[in-house]
């Protein structure tokens, strides 16, 4: 038992050390950080709306609660100052004929409660502003306007956060692995993508970027060099009818960066394939982008995806997501160059070629028959 656990632990450490760093995680998050940014953080406050939307929920709710409590307490202090200056508080022993600026403010606690009632328009009717003080009337108007602004901004930010198309992207899923096999007589890299909702993504467009480290002829090393990867389905790569899972594929031809890779050397490559799906959410008309990535260990050479769509006896189409990422081994050339040479050889077999070195020599036959 101990030897088994030790073996598992050793294999786990070996696998972890072999794991490659990736720019985009499987769920689409970007693994990048910015350092030594000279620009002031004040620029993030200028675009406060985007900054609030990008915050996590715990920070957003902290700002939400702090904004309300802070404004209530601040205006509570101002109401207390107004009552203190006008000598409305009980410690000043006001006369019976004294008309306070705000009825029934007896201290800081009651001033805070009046501030809360004013800003959220509760209106219990126990505390109210009189026409005695112009300062109190101005403060009432100012707090009411500021309260509406705070309510509108915070409620709008929470509503926008909930309805962001980023959440719609979570119902779009890609296959765990990419596969390389023959499709239509060509060597292709295939990926499966599915829409988990019955509502469509309008105007969907899918494409890819291959990230790798390259060295230019001038000797410059580019860490995240991007190469365009064209993905297509049988009907094209734009305006996809995304009602059922689709298998998108990239043709590995002479212009493909995968052309010089082989089954034996694939795991030795250093690249990351990032796949993007852009579309418009049917319900909200908001644009949505879904992305994922594949590293060499997640690209299976010589496999294809198992069938996933079937038709029932009742005439309905059924999608079995149990086979969504399931792969089946198939006979596949171990490199695209081999497939290309094989096709050329077969094409030459069907043609006739003249041999310039061939010389036809005539043989004179003598007849020994005597008449």
């Amino acid at each position: 038992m101990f030897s088994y656990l030790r073996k598992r632990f050793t294999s786990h450490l070996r696998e972890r050390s072999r794991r490659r760093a990736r720019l985009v995680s499987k769920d689409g998050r970007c693994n990048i950080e910015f350092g030594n940014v000279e620009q002031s953080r004040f620029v993030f406050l200028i675009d406060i709306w985007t900054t609030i939307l990008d915050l996590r929920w715990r920070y957003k709710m902290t700002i939400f609660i702090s904004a309300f409590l802070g404004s209530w307490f601040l205006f509570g202090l101002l109401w207390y100052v107004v009552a203190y200056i006008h000598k409305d508080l009980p410690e000043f022993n006001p006369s019976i004929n004294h008309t306070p600026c705000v009825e029934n403010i007896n201290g800081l606690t009651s001033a805070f409660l009046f501030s809360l009632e004013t800003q959220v328009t509760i209106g219990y009717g126990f505390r109210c502003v009189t026409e005695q003080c112009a300062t109190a009337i101005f403060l009432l108007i100012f707090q009411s306007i500021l309260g509406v602004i705070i309510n509108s901004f915070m409620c709008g930010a929470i509503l926008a956060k909930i309805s962001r198309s980023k959440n719609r992207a979570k119902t779009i899923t890609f296959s765990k692995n990419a596969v390389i096999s023959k499709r239509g007589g060509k060597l292709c890299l295939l990926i499966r993508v599915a829409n988990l909702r019955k509502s469509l993504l309008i105007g969907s467009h899918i494409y890819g970027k291959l990230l790798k480290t390259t060295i230019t002829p001038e000797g410059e090393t580019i860490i995240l060099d991007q190469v365009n990867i064209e993905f297509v389905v049988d009907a094209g790569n734009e305006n996809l009818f995304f009602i059922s899972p689709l298998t998108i594929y990239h043709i590995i031809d002479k212009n493909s960066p995968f052309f010089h890779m082989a089954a034996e050397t694939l795991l030795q490559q250093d690249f990351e394939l990032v796949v993007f799906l852009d579309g418009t959410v049917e319900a909200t008309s908001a644009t949505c982008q879904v992305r994922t990535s594949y590293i060499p260990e997640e690209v299976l050479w010589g496999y294809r995806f198992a069938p996933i769509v079937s038709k029932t006896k009742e005439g309905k189409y059924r999608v079995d997501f149990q086979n969504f990422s399931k792969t089946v081994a198939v006979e596949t050339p171990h490199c695209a160059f081999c497939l290309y040479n094989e096709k050329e050889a077969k094409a030459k077999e069907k043609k006739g070629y003249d041999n310039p070195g061939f010389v036809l020599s005539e043989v004179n036959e003598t007849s020994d028959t005597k008449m």
Side-chain angles (χ1 to χ4, degrees), residues 14-48:
R14 190 183 303 112
E15 181 68 22
R16 187 173 182 179
S17 62
R18 201 168 50 205
R19 190 177 302 166
R20 310 185 189 210
R22 60 200 313 159
L23 179 66
V24 180
S25 62
K26 298 298 287 184
D27 58 356
R29 297 181 181 179
C30 296
N31 179 27
I32 192 170
E33 63 179 18
F34 300 101
N36 300 324
V37 179
E38 297 180 357
Q39 201 167 13
S40 174
R41 293 185 179 272
F42 181 72
V43 296
F44 294 98
L45 296 178
I46 296 177
D47 188 14
I48 186 64

Side-chain angles (χ1 to χ4, degrees), residues 270-329:
D270 184 15
F271 67 84
E272 180 178 352
L273 176 61
V274 184
V275 184
F276 302 87
L277 174 64
D278 298 338
T280 303
V281 181
E282 187 178 26
T284 62
S285 299
T287 58
C288 171
Q289 183 182 88
V290 193
R291 52 186 176 266
T292 188
S293 70
Y294 299 92
I295 57 178
E297 288 80 3
E298 296 169 345
V299 179
L300 306 179
W301 196 296
Y303 288 83
R304 65 171 175 82
F305 290 110
I308 191 174
V309 180
S310 60
K311 193 173 183 179
T312 62
K313 295 180 179 179
E314 294 79 12
K316 295 183 178 180
Y317 292 94
R318 183 176 184 271
V319 179
D320 186 6
F321 279 94
Q322 185 177 1
N323 294 337
F324 180 72
S325 294
K326 187 178 180 180
T327 57
V328 179

Side-chain angles (χ1 to χ4, degrees), residues 61-73 119 150 154:
M61 295 308 299
T62 300
I63 295 176
F64 181 83
I65 297 173
S66 300
F68 280 103
L69 291 179
S71 61
W72 295 340
F73 184 73
Q119 188 163 327
I150 294 176
M154 291 301 173

Side-chain angles (χ1 to χ4, degrees), residues 38-146:
E38 297 180 357
Q39 201 167 13
S40 174
R41 293 185 179 272
F42 181 72
V43 296
F44 294 98
L45 296 178
I46 296 177
D47 188 14
I48 186 64
W49 178 254
T50 305
T51 303
I52 293 295
L53 288 183
D54 289 339
L55 288 177
R56 301 194 176 203
W57 274 109
R58 53 179 176 268
Y59 302 126
K60 186 187 295 291
M61 295 308 299
T62 300
I63 295 176
F64 181 83
I65 297 173
S66 300
F68 280 103
L69 291 179
S71 61
W72 295 340
F73 184 73
L74 175 62
F75 280 99
L77 289 178
L78 294 178
W79 287 116
Y80 179 80
V81 170
V82 169
Y84 184 87
I85 294 175
H86 198 253
K87 297 183 179 181
D88 298 336
L89 300 176
E91 55 262 29
F92 293 107
N93 296 319
S95 60
I96 300 176
N97 297 326
H98 178 77
T99 303
C101 292
V102 181
E103 296 282 356
N104 299 310
I105 287 188
N106 302 319
L108 186 59
T109 303
S110 57
F112 174 79
L113 292 176
F114 179 72
S115 173
L116 189 153
E117 296 171 16
T118 301
Q119 188 163 327
V120 300
T121 63
I122 293 178
Y124 289 124
F126 182 67
R127 301 179 183 88
C128 61
V129 177
T130 64
E131 67 276 7
Q132 186 69 24
C133 301
T135 305
I137 297 175
F138 173 79
L139 186 59
L140 177 67
I141 296 173
F142 183 72
Q143 184 177 5
S144 300
I145 295 175
L146 185 62

Side-chain angles (χ1 to χ4, degrees), residues 211-215 221-225 270-271:
L211 308 178
K212 60 179 183 178
T213 302
T214 59
I215 300 178
T221 301
I222 303 177
I223 300 296
L224 293 176
D225 189 22
D270 184 15
F271 67 84

